[in-house]
Structure formats: C-alpha cells, structure tokens
Amino acid sequence: MKKMIFLTIALAVSTFARQTFAQTEASAEEKKNKVVMTIMDGGKAITAEINSVNISINRYEDNIDEEQASEVKSAVADTSNVKLPKTFSKRAPGISYLTIEAKSLSKEMMQVLAKIRNRFDGNITITDAATKKVVKSLKFKGGALYTYSDQLTSLTESYGYNSIGLSLSCKGLSIDGVDFN
C-alpha cells in the first residue's frame, strides 16, 4: 500500500514538473515585443514582421572655414609638393542606417527592395506583446537598400535559423517623433 501511495505521488510530481517545464519553455519562446516594418510603395503599404532593428546615425561637418583649414599644420615637413585646398567642399549633413534582421520577407517587399535607385518611405513600430502599447516608433524617409544578406539552414524548424539581414540608408529619420536630419 505504501508503494502504491509513493508511486501515485511520484507520478503526480513528475506530471506537474513536465507541465511546468513545457509552460516555461513555451513562454521562453514567446516574443516580448512585436516589431513590424511597413514600407510605402506607390501608395500601397507593404509590411513585414522583423526580429530586430539597429539604428546608426552618421553625421559629417558641413564645412570647414578657411581660417580653420589654414590652422592645420603637419607634424613633419611635407616633401610631396601636393597642395591641398584651403577649404573643403560641402558634404551631406549625414545619413542614417537601419540594420534589420527579418525571419522572412514577402515577394512584394523583395520587389521594392530589388529596384535599383529606388527610394521609399516607411516606419518600424515596436509594440509590447502583452500590453499592446507602442514601445518605440521609427519613421524614415528616402530609404534605399544598402546591403542584403540571406542565411538559410537545413536544420529542423524548431532548431533551425533562417534570417535575412538588411541595411537601409535613409535621408531622414524620426525616433519617437524626434527628427534626426
């Protein structure tokens, strides 16, 4: 009788532990945030769910005054006889890059990205999956495909990892309503 009670308790504990482990594993695979990218192409919105986005903003000085340029002195004597201009040409004020990792992209999205010299506007919205509250909102203007990479694997779905890496250069970027131009 004692063995029967012990086996019943052991079976109940084992079942409880298995269910708890399954729930923990399932919740670990849940995404905390939902990240969606939308691109406008000819008035049509094309969306893609993405895994992550990285923002990089690069700025350059607009111009160097003639006075500042003449103050730059070499540490060693210049024997090359090459004369540099005293002023430098005006460069673009800066550019923004979005590095995006997506699980997959629709054929429509790929067609927009594949066009050479194609510029498009879009946004990326990061939403908390539990509360449905927008965590961060990115809007970009004059976006163009800068780089594209695709990684595929033959492993099973639960262990495999397929991803697409994109880098978009943007002429204008707004993060949570703050413009970075």
Side-chain angles (χ1 to χ4, degrees):
M1 187 62 149
K2 288 182 181 181
K3 284 184 181 181
M4 189 62 119
I5 293 173
F6 177 75
L7 287 175
T8 305
I9 292 173
L11 181 61
V13 168
S14 173
T15 303
F16 177 73
R18 204 171 338 144
Q19 287 176 344
T20 303
F21 178 73
Q23 288 173 351
T24 304
E25 188 174 305
S27 66
E29 290 184 15
E30 278 183 25
K31 293 182 180 180
K32 173 153 176 40
N33 293 325
K34 182 176 181 178
V35 187
V36 176
M37 177 173 65
T38 304
I39 289 179
M40 297 304 292
D41 181 46
K44 182 179 179 187
I46 303 169
T47 62
E49 190 168 338
I50 59 177
N51 294 331
S52 67
V53 62
N54 183 341
I55 305 161
S56 174
I57 299 170
N58 301 310
R59 291 196 172 142
Y60 310 102
E61 289 186 35
D62 288 340
N63 209 352
I64 297 178
D65 293 330
E66 189 173 327
E67 297 162 9
Q68 290 175 330
S70 64
E71 292 175 12
V72 177
K73 304 226 189 263
S74 175
V76 296
D78 183 8
T79 58
S80 67
N81 293 328
V82 175
K83 301 297 179 199
L84 295 174
K86 292 200 176 211
T87 61
F88 297 92
S89 62
K90 188 172 182 176
R91 291 190 256 175
I95 201 158
S96 304
Y97 294 96
L98 300 175
T99 305
I100 299 164
E101 186 222 325
K103 186 88 170 167
S104 66
L105 296 176
S106 69
K107 186 175 181 178
E108 291 174 310
M109 181 75 77
M110 293 290 285
Q111 289 171 336
V112 172
L113 296 173
K115 295 176 189 172
I116 296 176
R117 293 183 183 88
N118 188 27
R119 292 277 178 188
F120 46 84
D121 297 341
N123 62 58
I124 297 174
T125 306
I126 303 165
T127 309
D128 185 307
T131 64
K132 307 293 186 217
K133 182 179 177 185
V134 174
V135 176
K136 190 164 281 299
S137 176
L138 311 172
K139 292 183 182 183
F140 58 90
K141 292 190 181 289
L145 180 65
Y146 188 70
T147 60
Y148 173 90
S149 66
D150 207 343
Q151 186 255 331
L152 305 165
T153 183
S154 64
L155 299 174
T156 63
E157 180 65 30
S158 62
Y159 296 106
Y161 186 72
N162 299 329
S163 69
I164 297 170
L166 303 170
S167 183
L168 304 179
S169 60
C170 307
K171 291 188 175 187
L173 178 66
S174 171
I175 303 172
D176 292 334
V178 178
D179 290 332
F180 288 81
N181 292 329

